Amino acid sequence: MLQDLIAFDDSQVGEWIFSDVKRGANSSLYEGKWNKRTYRSLSSYIQLLEQVISCYKNHYTYFKMQGKHTIKRSHVLVSYKNVKTISRDSFNWITQNTEQLADVPYSSGIQHQGKNYLPYHIKTDANKKSWDVYENRIVIGFLQTALLNGKQILTDFDSDILNEERIISRIHGNFPKEYCAPIITIKSLQISFCRILLGKLKHSIDTLQNIYKQYVTLFDVPVLPLATFPRKTSTFCEIKPYAQVFEMVVRWFQYGEYSLEKERLILQVKTLDKLFEYYCLLRLLKLLSDNGYQKANVKKPAFKYTYTSADEHYQNEKDVANTYLLSNNNVIVTLYYQPVISAVQFENGLTLYRTTRSYNSKLDYYTPDFVLKFSSSEHDEEYIILDAKFSSRKNIKKHSLPEVIRKYSCEMCVSADNRVPKMIWVLQGRVNSSENAIWRYHNSPLVSTYRPITSFGIVSVNTTADIQRQLWNEIRSNISLLQ
């Protein structure tokens, strides 16, 4: 599951999850100039750096031998033996630099007071290559851009890993040596995976640094990182090495500014249950995305909502958005992550409410892990409630499912005409390979003919099986808006 989270490569889903993250003052090398952020995997970012490396390696010989340049006439000092032309300016220079003259025992072109002289060096005009053209400035500027960005990512990621290693060290100090807390195992695995990625990133940056030194030596031009997209000149269109570098620049800008927020989110998780919740959140958003749902045309399609009915027993989500509004044609689905379903008020667009009161009036709410609300202008809202349990199916059936049914079916209703949630299911984390991915609570022969008002069940959400299609079919069969 950790590997799957780290390798998760859907930037669109990442953008939804982190759309409300507050940026620090130094969060970007190009703040205000290059704002598109990408939330793909670190592996994909390393692959992008490797493509840059490959491109510049392959074309170094061409740039060295045939790179675009201009010819400039310039004054140079050359040995007298090698001089080809002597101008009036050359003689003027000699008269002002007489220390360059040496006596010779034979007749020469320079005579003074009966003595013959020849200069050691002469200042003359010569043709000289100048690499200082727009295309070369872009070639070297983009290389520096990639290098600076990679170094920043490396520094930040290394710092994040070191912080988590300190946490493990402190946890170890609170337990006997023979005792291994689950959190230590989780953290050790996280750091192990991240250190492997960090090593690959460092190798790519070291290689990029060496290539950058070669190009800086080759191109004697002012070096500035790219802050805006370059012009596509005829050279970038017609000459293959330049065209491929330009294509690499396009790919880099299309990729966007890489963000470590996903890696930081995974690193800071302190329990396996929370890790599984985030895993389920990614999988559910990916499920909706794969079935045509995109962010709704509203000002804030994904945001963090602060529930006022919460108390010291409930913590509003701080690290990711907890409300997602997605649409597909005329159907809008809202995904709520750990919403507050209260007995005394409605919040955040929910029309679910708790039907019972607690002895402790401060706890008059339930917080399912996920709620899906389907709505349109022509139909009432329909709800699905999903609770994530990192547990085996046997334990879920025995302990979790009865409580889930009691809380979210017996003690929860919808204020609209559809009085009850359409689905109440448990997302199962621990799996047995011999189990079916989906288990339905209602399994009598008449169920297929006379469908129950609410569907109860368990679905495996893990890395061993792809059940996205099965789960979506189950959702479609229970939500009338999708039929």
Side-chain angles (χ1 to χ4, degrees), residues 225-287:
L226 298 188
T228 57
F229 194 76
R231 302 193 315 271
K232 190 173 185 180
T233 63
S234 58
T235 299
F236 282 133
C237 294
E238 298 166 3
I239 301 176
K240 184 177 179 182
Y242 283 97
Q244 291 189 353
V245 169
F246 192 84
E247 182 184 338
M248 200 66 248
V249 175
V250 172
R251 200 175 305 170
W252 180 272
F253 273 84
Q254 286 177 341
Y255 186 91
E257 186 181 355
Y258 181 73
S259 171
L260 279 167
E261 282 156 352
K262 177 169 67 72
E263 282 71 21
R264 286 175 179 144
L265 177 70
I266 298 167
L267 275 170
Q268 70 188 17
V269 171
K270 301 299 188 292
T271 67
L272 192 51
D273 288 337
K274 193 68 176 178
L275 192 72
F276 184 54
E277 286 175 14
Y278 285 148
Y279 180 73
C280 290
L281 176 61
L282 284 172
R283 291 289 294 270
L284 288 172
L285 287 171
K286 179 71 172 152
L287 174 70

Side-chain angles (χ1 to χ4, degrees), residues 158-174 187 191 195:
D158 187 45
S159 176
D160 293 338
I161 295 173
L162 284 172
N163 287 337
E164 294 306 313
E165 287 176 332
R166 293 188 192 102
I167 291 174
I168 287 184
S169 180
R170 288 199 297 270
I171 295 173
H172 266 301
N174 295 328
K187 288 292 174 191
I191 290 169
R195 279 289 177 200

Side-chain angles (χ1 to χ4, degrees), residues 283-333:
R283 291 289 294 270
L284 288 172
L285 287 171
K286 179 71 172 152
L287 174 70
L288 294 170
S289 173
D290 288 347
N291 285 281
Y293 285 86
Q294 301 297 318
K295 60 183 181 181
N297 187 23
V298 294
K299 186 176 181 181
K300 276 195 165 186
F303 56 90
K304 293 177 192 166
Y305 182 86
T306 302
Y307 292 93
T308 58
S309 60
D311 52 33
E312 67 272 12
H313 299 282
Y314 173 87
Q315 291 184 343
N316 281 290
E317 178 61 44
K318 296 179 181 179
D319 298 315
V320 300
N322 63 4
T323 310
Y324 305 85
L325 279 74
L326 309 174
S327 65
N328 184 359
N329 295 323
N330 65 331
V331 177
I332 294 179
V333 56

